Amino acid sequence: MRMMGNETSMTRRAFVGGLAGLGVLAAMPGRALAAISASQAESLIGKVVRDINSIINSGAPEATMIKRFEDVFAKYADVNFIALSALGPDGRSASASQKSAFVKAFRAYIARRYGSRFREFEGGRIDVVSTTQVKSRYEVLTKTTLKGHAPFDVVFIVAAKNGKFIDMQVEGISIVKSERKEIGAMLDRRKGDLNQLIADLQKG
């Protein structure tokens, strides 16, 4: 049975956005990993989703759940790639210090945006289905089930070159592209002032 309607779509995107968002929040730049195979990419996401399933259904306080998500994603997500991808073309003219400040501010923004949503997803789970290589990336297909809803597909995107988690897609919608629209709108409201955007993201 396929779920329909705006409410269902928003629930799905909120769920996946939350997972991706906390991946961004937790990830720290680190030593690049060697190029990985399809089976390694699938194994990596398998470990991630097992931990996610455990955390969602742990019954722990919200702050504890967020910290545990941070620990899980710190190993796998590429925060620089995701944050600067969300910044988009405006990042090309940014200085090194501005980029660094934006990455830190983006983490705080993501924490506020998604951190309070995880309690809604208790009773849900994610299962790895298959992995396909698409050029220099692996698309790891998973089946996501929320309590009281029919299962739906979520695709985890893993870079083959360094084995880092860089995006998620639900119903064909890229979380990184969605955040790029949000950040772009925020920047437009500040007349392109990146420093002001950084300051506002830091303050909340």
Side-chain angles (χ1 to χ4, degrees):
M1 179 178 66
R2 180 177 176 81
M3 294 188 293
M4 304 294 289
N6 291 336
E7 182 176 352
T8 293
S9 180
M10 290 176 63
T11 299
R12 291 179 178 182
R13 292 175 188 174
F15 177 71
V16 179
L19 299 184
L22 287 176
V24 175
L25 166 70
M28 293 295 294
R31 180 174 59 86
L33 303 177
I36 63 171
S37 66
S39 62
Q40 288 173 319
E42 184 167 320
S43 176
L44 179 145
I45 297 302
K47 293 175 183 177
V48 171
V49 300
R50 282 196 294 272
D51 284 343
I52 290 172
N53 288 331
S54 174
I55 295 167
I56 288 175
N57 297 297
S58 66
E62 183 177 290
T64 301
M65 292 175 70
I66 291 174
K67 179 60 172 68
R68 289 179 62 190
F69 273 103
E70 290 178 5
D71 294 340
V72 170
F73 281 99
K75 298 179 182 179
Y76 307 116
D78 188 337
V79 67
N80 285 323
F81 176 87
I82 297 172
L84 295 179
S85 292
L87 183 57
D90 297 291
R92 298 194 188 108
S93 60
S95 66
S97 61
Q98 283 178 315
K99 290 179 181 179
S100 178
F102 176 78
V103 170
K104 293 178 181 178
F106 187 75
R107 287 178 56 180
Y109 156 76
I110 289 295
R112 294 189 302 272
R113 182 170 172 80
Y114 296 117
S116 63
R117 301 300 304 270
F118 282 88
R119 187 62 64 192
E120 302 173 27
F121 310 125
E122 289 181 338
R125 63 174 290 107
I126 307 169
D127 296 293
V128 175
V129 176
S130 63
T131 300
T132 303
Q133 184 168 8
V134 180
K135 296 183 179 179
S136 62
R137 300 177 179 182
Y138 292 108
E139 296 184 356
V140 182
L141 173 65
T142 67
K143 189 74 68 176
T144 298
T145 305
L146 300 183
K147 190 174 181 179
H149 297 282
F152 58 95
D153 293 341
V154 174
V155 177
F156 287 71
I157 309 299
V158 178
K161 182 177 181 180
N162 61 15
K164 295 280 189 176
F165 161 68
I166 57 174
D167 199 4
M168 296 172 75
Q169 297 176 351
V170 58
E171 297 183 320
I173 303 298
S174 162
I175 295 301
V176 169
K177 289 181 180 178
S178 295
E179 288 302 331
R180 184 181 301 165
K181 290 181 181 179
E182 293 289 338
I183 293 297
M186 292 180 189
L187 197 56
D188 287 344
R189 290 195 293 272
R190 292 161 180 81
K191 303 186 186 303
D193 189 334
L194 180 56
N195 291 330
Q196 186 61 56
L197 174 61
I198 292 169
D200 291 341
L201 290 180
Q202 289 172 334
K203 291 186 297 185

